[in-house]
């Protein structure tokens, strides 16, 4: 895996590491809430079922060092992980497709604690266009390009029906959005330089069903 | 990766293959809706940006063979993928934690097309206990064990706050549930034989933020 540093001296990490770092964060946030001051990689390892050599390696990307025998300072580890993962910055986003999942994401205030600020929703359905979900206004999808010229957000969250996925992704990209969070099971094609994360919950369902067969033997 | 066959002659697959199969399914379902009869692995490859040798290998686990030059019959491929992935069977599940995400999952009728039938919700909040979300009744979490003795569902969907994740997982497992779909960012520990899939949407957010840094250079 090729790792490069950018101007901000932050590292483009391999995906498995990026997936593990939020586990560590949610665990050390919990310790911090319990007023625990130090944690060792052995302790994280036992709790999260990840090898402690892997944890030490993952955390070596951060600007933090554990102390011999007492381990990492919990508060610093929380701060460094939040900073490193970008959770301490505000990132504006729009939700395209305000069905049940899109609505849930707009209403999920948990996302704010991870730096995601949803500022608008877009849809095609006349009964939701012009309404608000909490503070968030819902616009007609055909206003997206105009809206974006004024607001210049980076992230589009795609929660549209699968057959609309590519079309809506193309629209978001041509409007100047540079990151897509794709919740459809469709494998979207994007131009080079557009960041994409696929969260296909149906694929995870396939994993559960497949693992359950194991139990049936 | 160790692959074994069970009594039903179905295969326990490596996770990357299981993740790709639903992409193929959503694509061939779309072709089927467009009344396309045949599709080649080259065509799937171009559309989904997966190497065609990989597609041929993934599909070789299924009970279907492509024909030289014309490829796979679309309808058969849909049926075989649905069967293989377990999406054509009904799997009963409960949702534990009926906040915004839990509610969205209960109301997402898309899941039914993937064989997931949510039959009850559980929560601790007095204002939702005793209510219904659509057809789905919401019970007090302390009724879970009793309810489960009667209904014997396999799958518990965990959409509780992170600090409750392990406790609720333990309760689901001790009540006899054998598969957990964990939407919290907490890395739950489960006894051997319990199927688990982690859908930590916050981890995907970290991937987006990290990839976006790349653009900032």
């Amino acid at each position: 895996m090729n790792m490069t540093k950018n101007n901000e001296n932050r590292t483009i990490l391999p995906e498995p590491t990026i997936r593990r770092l939020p586990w560590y964060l949610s665990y050390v946030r919990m310790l911090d809430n319990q007023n625990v001051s130090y944690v060792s990689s052995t302790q994280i390892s036992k709790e999260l079922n990840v090898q402690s050599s892997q944890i030490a390696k993952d955390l070596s990307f951060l600007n933090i060092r554990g102390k011999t025998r007492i381990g990492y300072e919990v508060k610093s580890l929380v701060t460094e992980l939040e900073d490193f993962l970008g959770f301490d910055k505000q990132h504006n986003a729009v939700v395209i497709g305000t069905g049940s999942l899109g609505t849930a994401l707009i209403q999920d205030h948990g996302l704010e604690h991870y730096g995601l600020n949803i500022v608008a929703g877009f849809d095609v359905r006349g009964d939701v266009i012009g309404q608000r979900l909490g503070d968030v206004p819902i616009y007609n999808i055909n206003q997206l390009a105009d809206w974006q010229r004024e607001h210049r957000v980076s992230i589009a969250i795609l929660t549209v029906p699968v057959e609309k996925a590519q079309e809506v992704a193309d629209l978001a990209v041509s409007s100047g959005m540079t990151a897509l969070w794709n919740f459809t099971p469709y494998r979207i094609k994007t131009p080079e330089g557009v960041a994409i994360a696929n969260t296909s919950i149906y694929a995870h369902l396939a994993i559960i069903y497949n693992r359950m067969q194991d139990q049936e033997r």
Side-chain angles (χ1 to χ4, degrees), chain A residues 5-200:
Chain A
K5 294 242 168 193
N6 71 3
N7 288 340
E8 288 184 78
N9 202 28
R10 288 170 78 177
T11 308
I12 307 302
L13 291 182
E15 198 164 312
T17 297
I18 305 178
R19 283 180 186 275
R20 283 187 297 266
L21 292 175
W23 298 343
Y24 307 154
L25 176 59
S26 77
Y27 176 58
V28 295
R29 273 180 176 168
M30 208 154 65
L31 292 180
D32 190 35
N33 286 339
Q34 294 160 7
N35 296 312
V36 175
S37 300
Y38 286 91
V39 64
S40 65
S41 51
T42 318
Q43 195 181 337
I44 301 175
S45 167
K46 260 167 85 177
E47 195 63 32
L48 303 187
N49 209 12
V50 177
Q51 295 223 325
S52 78
S53 58
Q54 182 67 66
I55 293 168
K57 200 175 156 195
D58 290 342
L59 294 181
S60 74
F61 290 109
L62 306 187
N63 188 22
I64 191 169
R65 293 291 163 267
K67 293 184 192 158
T68 322
R69 279 195 290 185
I70 55 176
Y72 299 93
E73 204 201 351
V74 169
K75 272 195 196 307
S76 309
L77 199 45
V78 169
T79 311
E80 286 297 327
L81 279 165
E82 285 178 344
D83 174 51
F84 190 82
L85 290 167
F87 292 163
D88 60 344
K89 289 218 191 83
Q90 283 298 305
H91 305 80
N92 287 340
V94 300
V95 167
I96 308 182
T98 60
S100 57
L101 182 59
T103 299
L105 293 174
I106 290 174
Q107 294 179 336
D108 179 5
H109 295 290
L111 289 167
E112 291 166 10
H113 298 127
Y114 293 83
L116 192 78
N117 188 24
I118 298 173
V119 295
F122 290 87
D123 210 303
V124 293
R125 293 170 299 142
D127 57 327
V128 295
I129 292 166
Q131 305 294 313
R132 282 177 174 265
L133 284 166
D135 291 340
V136 177
I138 312 300
Y139 299 110
N140 193 315
I141 181 83
N142 65 24
Q143 297 175 268
L144 181 73
D146 283 341
W147 183 91
Q148 169 68 358
R149 254 189 290 281
E150 197 173 324
H151 293 84
R152 305 212 152 274
V153 307
S154 302
I155 303 172
I157 301 172
L158 308 183
T159 44
V160 293
V162 58
E163 64 275 11
K164 295 290 176 197
Q166 185 64 55
E167 183 184 325
V168 161
D170 291 345
L171 175 64
V173 170
S174 70
S175 301
M177 293 168 185
T178 54
L180 303 179
W181 192 1
N182 174 29
F183 280 84
T184 81
Y186 192 73
R187 179 94 168 143
I188 284 168
K189 280 176 291 187
T190 52
E192 187 121 5
V194 173
I196 187 157
N198 294 297
T199 304
S200 174

